[in-house]
Amino acid sequence: MGSKTQNNTVMVKTSLPISPLPPNNTRIALTTDRLLLRSLAASDLEAMYVLRTQEEVMRWTSSGHIDMKIEETRDKLNNFLPPNDTKTFNCAICLKDTGEFIGMGGCHLFPAEHGWPEVGYMLRREYWGQGLASEFLNAWLKAWEGLPRSDMDIRVQKDMFTGNGNDNGNGEDVVREHLIAITEEANSGSQRVLLKAGFERFREFDEEDVSEPTGVVKLVAFRYFPGSKSRK
Ligand SMILES: CC(C)(COP(=O)(O)OP(=O)(O)OC[C@H]1O[C@@H](n2cnc3c(N)ncnc32)[C@H](O)[C@@H]1OP(=O)(O)O)[C@@H](O)C(=O)NCCC(=O)NCCS
């Protein structure tokens, strides 16, 4: 499948949100029953540090450990502030009633190493188990799906779109737009959030992880096709 292959990647035709993405100062805050979803701001640093120093939260993230210093948190936050805001689509997750910052989520990699945009989320431990991540993801997906799009050629890993390539007659693969989420095999809560939002599990793989006794972490890739579901 595919025309110009390079290592384990292939060029495909697809549609994606137009880059640069809308800057933070043009994004309209969203509300759900219980949440306020707004652009991240430099003033979120302290609250983000509280979130990123919770072991139970951070063990499931790509870094795998808490931030040791607030400078590490600042580096992370800077990925979502100008001038980097137009490369990502991440937001602060706050309680609607009080405005309290309880987490963050959205597209933190665009494109990720596999070539597609990737979504993720994290909430402070004391707010788990109330359906808040699902409430966030449902609203965020609607915003993501509402972004202006165009057709484009992108390079993606071959095993990140299995079963969706269709030759358009010119020797080019036309692939349905993907949004990817990657979880650890053991992260059942996050997987449930993804499945409830309409993602499908499609690939398992191992990654090197020096913090694991085996030296390997088992990961699961989920995908979502923007525009495939009607959302309230
Ligand atoms: C993942 C996370 C955001 C989920 O937040 P949340 O607000 O508790 O999620 P929700 O309440 O919307 O949904 C969780 C679902 O998983 C289920 N669940 C939770 N823990 C589970 C477990 N150990 N096994 C199976 N299901 C589980 C819940 O019952 C719920 O499903 P239900 O609505 O059908 O009952 C939160 O746990 C978190 O921040 N974790 C740390 C960071 C992280 O893992 N991020 C994702 C990285 S891919």
Side-chain angles (χ1 to χ4, degrees), residues 89-91 93 104-109 118-121 136-137 140:
F89 199 64
N90 227 9
C91 62
I93 305 175
M104 53 196 290
C107 178
H108 55 285
L109 291 169
E118 189 172 308
V119 63
Y121 36 78
F136 153 75
L137 188 56
W140 183 86

Side-chain angles (χ1 to χ4, degrees), residues 7-186:
N7 302 322
N8 65 340
T9 64
V10 61
M11 289 298 293
V12 298
K13 289 197 170 300
T14 191
S15 100
L16 279 178
I18 294 168
S19 186
L21 294 163
N24 281 352
N25 63 8
T26 67
R27 294 184 198 169
I28 297 163
L30 306 173
T31 53
T32 65
D33 286 349
R34 295 172 290 175
L35 298 174
L36 166 74
L37 309 178
R38 60 157 174 81
S39 296
L40 284 150
S43 54
D44 290 321
L45 179 63
E46 295 286 341
M48 192 171 154
Y49 186 56
V50 172
L51 172 71
R52 292 184 59 92
T53 47
Q54 292 196 322
E55 301 264 5
E56 306 98 311
V57 172
M58 295 304 290
R59 63 168 292 227
W60 297 112
T61 64
S62 54
S63 66
H65 57 77
I66 63 165
D67 289 353
M68 305 309 276
K69 296 180 183 162
I70 200 160
E71 282 67 35
E72 284 177 46
T73 311
R74 196 190 311 275
D75 287 346
K76 279 282 175 195
L77 178 57
N78 282 342
N79 291 326
F80 312 119
L81 301 181
N84 300 317
D85 51 344
T86 59
K87 298 180 205 158
T88 50
F89 199 64
N90 227 9
C91 62
I93 305 175
C94 307
L95 293 180
K96 186 163 81 174
D97 287 351
T98 61
E100 183 186 359
F101 175 109
I102 62 163
M104 53 196 290
C107 178
H108 55 285
L109 291 169
F110 183 51
E113 203 182 329
H114 44 69
W116 296 110
E118 189 172 308
V119 63
Y121 36 78
M122 53 207 289
L123 289 183
R124 283 215 325 252
R125 175 67 187 95
E126 54 274 34
Y127 292 99
W128 294 4
Q130 302 172 39
L132 291 172
S134 302
E135 199 167 307
F136 153 75
L137 188 56
N138 198 46
W140 183 86
L141 282 170
K142 199 171 167 192
W144 179 253
E145 290 174 318
L147 291 171
R149 286 175 154 68
S150 71
D151 294 337
M152 54 186 90
D153 298 312
I154 62 164
R155 183 171 290 284
V156 292
Q157 287 179 0
K158 281 190 274 185
D159 42 13
M160 290 305 269
F161 64 94
T162 320
N164 277 278
N166 290 303
D167 193 312
N168 68 356
N170 298 321
E172 300 163 322
D173 281 329
V174 182
V175 174
R176 200 168 175 190
E177 176 183 338
H178 284 48
L179 173 67
I180 300 290
I182 298 192
T183 72
E184 283 193 32
E185 174 72 270

